[in-house]
Amino acid sequence: MNTVRFELVHQGSTPGRLLKRPRHTWAGTVPGFGPVELTCPAEEDLARDTLVSWVSGQGIPPMSFTGIDFRDRPRLASMTLTADGWTAHLKRRHLAVTAHRRALRIAVAGRSYRYRVLGDKLRHELWREGAVITMSRSTWRHPRTITGAAQGGFDGLDIGLAILMEGVYTRNLSFGGALYSWPGRFLSRLDDIPDLF
């Protein structure tokens, strides 16, 4: 079985300025695929309702995830994922209780993936038939390091997707995380309610 381990290190952030949000970047080298970089959010404009995280690299196809802003990361609402020119079909079960059933289903480039939380909010797994990539964060918010371990018949698309999802707010993929983040997500939707008077 083929196994590759890699680490991305936080390169710092651009400082937040008037009407601008901080922009964070993690970079590293994936053996066999070369340098890779994760940027989140990819844009700094505070007026935007959606945010974009993107991954770029030498042996990694370009890809991005767009979703509604929550704590300076795109979340799993009104989401769009593009990878190497493909637009993914994304699906998840909001009312499921177990992490396995709450997993995000990703269909892209003729492949089917399952992305889920492992045990706690710091570890995630991207799985498809024949390949699995496990990602770990040193801390939840703006981690110093993000490490990965890829096993099986993986390629640059698999690794890029696993890295990209580390730039997305995925806490609600676990039932406990969904309960924790529900009040903030509910309050963020109050702006969408029309005035009745």
Side-chain angles (χ1 to χ4, degrees), residues 81-89 106-113 157 161:
L81 190 156
T82 60
D84 203 18
W86 296 85
T87 299
H89 176 70
I106 304 169
V108 64
R111 300 176 179 186
S112 295
Y113 294 92
L157 179 61
L161 280 174

Side-chain angles (χ1 to χ4, degrees), residues 7-35:
E7 181 177 82
L8 304 179
V9 177
H10 191 249
Q11 302 298 298
S13 63
T14 60
R17 300 178 306 276
L18 185 64
L19 299 179
K20 301 287 184 185
R21 72 179 80 242
R23 188 174 178 186
H24 296 269
T25 302
W26 292 264
T29 300
V30 179
F33 296 92

Side-chain angles (χ1 to χ4, degrees), residues 20-184:
K20 301 287 184 185
R21 72 179 80 242
R23 188 174 178 186
H24 296 269
T25 302
W26 292 264
T29 300
V30 179
F33 296 92
V36 64
E37 190 172 273
L38 167 66
T39 302
C40 174
E43 67 288 307
E44 300 172 309
D45 185 3
L46 278 174
R48 289 181 58 111
D49 290 336
T50 59
L51 293 181
V52 178
S53 289
W54 58 264
V55 167
S56 61
Q58 184 178 343
I60 306 291
M63 53 188 72
S64 66
F65 187 100
T66 305
I68 294 175
D69 172 19
F70 189 70
R71 298 188 178 173
D72 291 332
R73 277 193 283 171
R75 66 181 171 97
L76 303 174
S78 299
M79 56 186 162
T80 304
L81 190 156
T82 60
D84 203 18
W86 296 85
T87 299
H89 176 70
L90 305 165
K91 186 171 96 173
R92 66 190 181 101
R93 296 178 177 154
H94 299 274
L95 301 177
V97 176
T98 66
H100 178 76
R101 294 185 59 85
R102 290 186 70 83
L104 177 66
R105 294 342 195 233
I106 304 169
V108 64
R111 300 176 179 186
S112 295
Y113 294 92
R114 184 183 66 227
Y115 182 79
R116 66 185 183 124
V117 174
L118 293 177
D120 62 19
K121 61 186 178 182
L122 300 179
R123 294 178 53 237
H124 301 92
E125 176 187 84
L126 179 74
W127 177 93
R128 75 167 169 86
E129 190 71 36
V132 62
I133 295 100
T134 306
M135 303 295 292
S136 299
R137 306 163 67 90
S138 58
T139 59
W140 172 246
R141 190 166 168 88
H142 311 309
R144 174 80 184 113
T145 60
I146 300 171
T147 58
Q151 296 179 326
F154 56 86
D155 61 15
L157 179 61
D158 303 324
I159 291 173
L161 280 174
I163 292 171
L164 177 65
M165 293 306 294
E166 292 301 309
V168 178
Y169 185 88
T170 57
R171 184 122 189 228
N172 50 349
L173 288 180
S174 71
F175 187 70
L179 290 177
Y180 175 82
S181 62
W182 181 83

